[in-house]
Amino acid sequence: QVQLAESGGGLVQAGDSLRLSCAASGRTFGNYFMGWFRQAPGKEREFVAAISRDNMIRKYADFVKGRFTISRDNAENTVYLQMNSLKLEDTAVYYCAAGISLRTVVAGESVYWGQGTQVTVSS
Protein backbone atom coordinates (compact mmCIF):
# COMPACT_ATOMS: atom_id res chain seq x y z
CA GLN A 1 0.00 0.00 0.00
CA VAL A 2 1.10 3.58 -0.63
CA GLN A 3 -0.03 6.76 1.09
CA LEU A 4 -0.31 9.94 -0.96
CA ALA A 5 -0.36 13.54 0.21
CA GLU A 6 -0.95 16.44 -2.16
CA SER A 7 0.15 20.00 -1.57
CA GLY A 8 0.64 23.24 -3.46
CA GLY A 9 -2.93 24.22 -4.17
CA GLY A 10 -4.21 27.72 -3.64
CA LEU A 11 -5.95 30.77 -5.04
CA VAL A 12 -4.43 32.24 -8.20
CA GLN A 13 -5.50 34.52 -11.01
CA ALA A 14 -6.21 33.43 -14.55
CA GLY A 15 -2.98 33.18 -16.50
CA ASP A 16 -0.90 32.38 -13.43
CA SER A 17 1.10 29.24 -12.76
CA LEU A 18 1.01 26.77 -9.91
CA ARG A 19 2.92 23.59 -9.10
CA LEU A 20 1.27 20.76 -7.24
CA SER A 21 3.23 18.12 -5.40
CA CYS A 22 2.26 14.65 -4.27
CA ALA A 23 4.49 12.96 -1.73
CA ALA A 24 4.26 9.21 -1.43
CA SER A 25 5.10 7.01 1.51
CA GLY A 26 4.79 3.34 2.19
CA ARG A 27 5.80 0.80 -0.42
CA THR A 28 8.34 1.60 -3.11
CA PHE A 29 7.26 4.69 -5.02
CA GLY A 30 9.15 3.62 -8.11
CA ASN A 31 6.88 0.60 -8.52
CA TYR A 32 3.87 2.78 -9.26
CA PHE A 33 2.57 4.63 -12.26
CA MET A 34 1.32 8.00 -11.10
CA GLY A 35 -1.39 10.36 -12.17
CA TRP A 36 -3.39 13.49 -11.45
CA PHE A 37 -7.15 13.86 -11.53
CA ARG A 38 -9.43 16.72 -10.70
CA GLN A 39 -13.01 17.22 -9.61
CA ALA A 40 -14.86 20.48 -10.04
CA PRO A 41 -18.02 21.28 -8.03
CA GLY A 42 -20.97 19.33 -9.34
CA LYS A 43 -18.85 17.35 -11.77
CA GLU A 44 -17.31 13.91 -11.82
CA ARG A 45 -13.65 13.32 -11.19
CA GLU A 46 -11.69 13.49 -14.45
CA PHE A 47 -8.27 12.43 -15.64
CA VAL A 48 -5.64 15.15 -16.03
CA ALA A 49 -2.23 13.53 -16.54
CA ALA A 50 -0.26 10.33 -15.94
CA ILE A 51 3.36 9.29 -15.97
CA SER A 52 5.17 5.99 -16.22
CA ARG A 53 7.48 4.64 -13.55
CA ASP A 54 10.60 5.65 -15.47
CA ASN A 55 9.47 9.14 -16.51
CA MET A 56 9.50 8.08 -20.15
CA ILE A 57 5.78 8.02 -20.96
CA ARG A 58 3.35 10.83 -20.18
CA LYS A 59 -0.33 11.06 -20.96
CA TYR A 60 -2.48 14.17 -20.84
CA ALA A 61 -6.10 15.06 -21.13
CA ASP A 62 -6.73 17.17 -24.21
CA PHE A 63 -7.83 20.16 -22.18
CA VAL A 64 -4.41 20.52 -20.49
CA LYS A 65 -2.05 19.70 -23.34
CA GLY A 66 0.55 22.41 -23.74
CA ARG A 67 -0.31 23.98 -20.38
CA PHE A 68 0.32 21.28 -17.75
CA THR A 69 3.38 19.08 -17.27
CA ILE A 70 3.58 15.99 -15.10
CA SER A 71 6.94 14.85 -13.74
CA ARG A 72 8.30 12.70 -10.97
CA ASP A 73 11.36 12.41 -8.80
CA ASN A 74 11.72 8.81 -7.69
CA ALA A 75 14.53 9.70 -5.31
CA GLU A 76 12.19 12.10 -3.51
CA ASN A 77 9.09 9.87 -3.81
CA THR A 78 7.23 12.79 -5.32
CA VAL A 79 5.19 13.49 -8.42
CA TYR A 80 4.53 17.00 -9.64
CA LEU A 81 2.00 18.80 -11.78
CA GLN A 82 3.22 22.08 -13.21
CA MET A 83 0.21 24.11 -14.29
CA ASN A 84 0.72 27.14 -16.51
CA SER A 85 -1.73 29.56 -18.14
CA LEU A 86 -4.41 28.62 -15.65
CA LYS A 87 -8.01 29.19 -16.65
CA LEU A 88 -11.16 29.70 -14.61
CA GLU A 89 -12.31 26.23 -15.63
CA ASP A 90 -9.22 24.69 -14.02
CA THR A 91 -10.77 25.38 -10.63
CA ALA A 92 -11.15 22.02 -8.90
CA VAL A 93 -9.85 19.73 -6.21
CA TYR A 94 -6.80 18.00 -7.63
CA TYR A 95 -6.07 14.42 -6.61
CA CYS A 96 -2.96 12.33 -6.92
CA ALA A 97 -3.29 8.65 -7.88
CA ALA A 98 -0.96 5.66 -7.85
CA GLY A 99 -1.50 2.42 -9.74
CA ILE A 100 0.19 -0.64 -11.14
CA SER A 101 -0.17 0.25 -14.81
CA LEU A 102 -0.56 3.31 -16.97
CA ARG A 103 -3.93 2.02 -18.17
CA THR A 104 -5.38 1.69 -14.69
CA VAL A 105 -4.08 5.08 -13.64
CA VAL A 106 -5.53 6.81 -16.69
CA ALA A 107 -8.83 5.03 -16.03
CA GLY A 108 -8.70 5.81 -12.33
CA GLU A 109 -9.35 2.15 -11.58
CA SER A 110 -7.83 0.19 -8.71
CA VAL A 111 -5.62 3.08 -7.68
CA TYR A 112 -4.62 4.68 -4.42
CA TRP A 113 -5.85 8.23 -3.92
CA GLY A 114 -4.60 11.21 -2.00
CA GLN A 115 -6.90 13.51 -0.07
CA GLY A 116 -6.80 16.27 -2.67
CA THR A 117 -5.71 19.88 -2.82
CA GLN A 118 -7.92 22.79 -3.83
CA VAL A 119 -6.98 24.95 -6.80
CA THR A 120 -9.07 28.05 -7.35
CA VAL A 121 -8.53 30.29 -10.36
CA SER A 122 -10.09 33.74 -10.24
CA SER A 123 -10.55 36.37 -12.95
Side-chain angles (χ1 to χ4, degrees):
Q1 188 171 346
V2 61
Q3 292 79 42
L4 306 172
E6 302 93 335
S7 61
L11 174 62
V12 296
Q13 291 189 321
D16 285 352
S17 298
L18 203 59
R19 189 176 80 157
L20 305 182
S21 300
C22 172
S25 60
R27 298 183 66 179
T28 306
F29 176 72
N31 289 343
Y32 291 94
F33 294 79
M34 301 297 296
W36 287 95
F37 285 72
R38 70 185 187 185
Q39 187 168 19
K43 295 187 177 181
E44 294 187 353
R45 190 178 299 185
E46 62 181 355
F47 168 75
V48 174
I51 190 167
S52 61
R53 292 177 293 191
D54 59 2
N55 259 314
M56 296 298 290
I57 301 173
R58 301 175 185 185
K59 300 287 188 183
Y60 295 98
D62 288 343
F63 55 78
V64 301
K65 283 183 180 177
R67 299 191 299 125
F68 291 9
T69 302
I70 187 171
S71 62
R72 66 189 293 164
D73 185 337
N74 287 343
E76 296 294 327
N77 288 357
T78 303
V79 62
Y80 303 98
L81 185 67
Q82 177 67 44
M83 304 186 295
N84 298 329
S85 303
L86 283 162
K87 304 177 180 179
L88 297 179
E89 53 264 40
D90 293 321
T91 295
V93 177
Y94 282 73
Y95 296 91
C96 178
I100 61 172
S101 73
L102 198 61
R103 185 192 66 78
T104 58
V105 170
V106 170
E109 298 174 349
S110 301
V111 298
Y112 296 102
W113 295 102
Q115 82 289 349
T117 185
Q118 176 71 47
V119 173
T120 303
V121 184
S122 65
S123 59

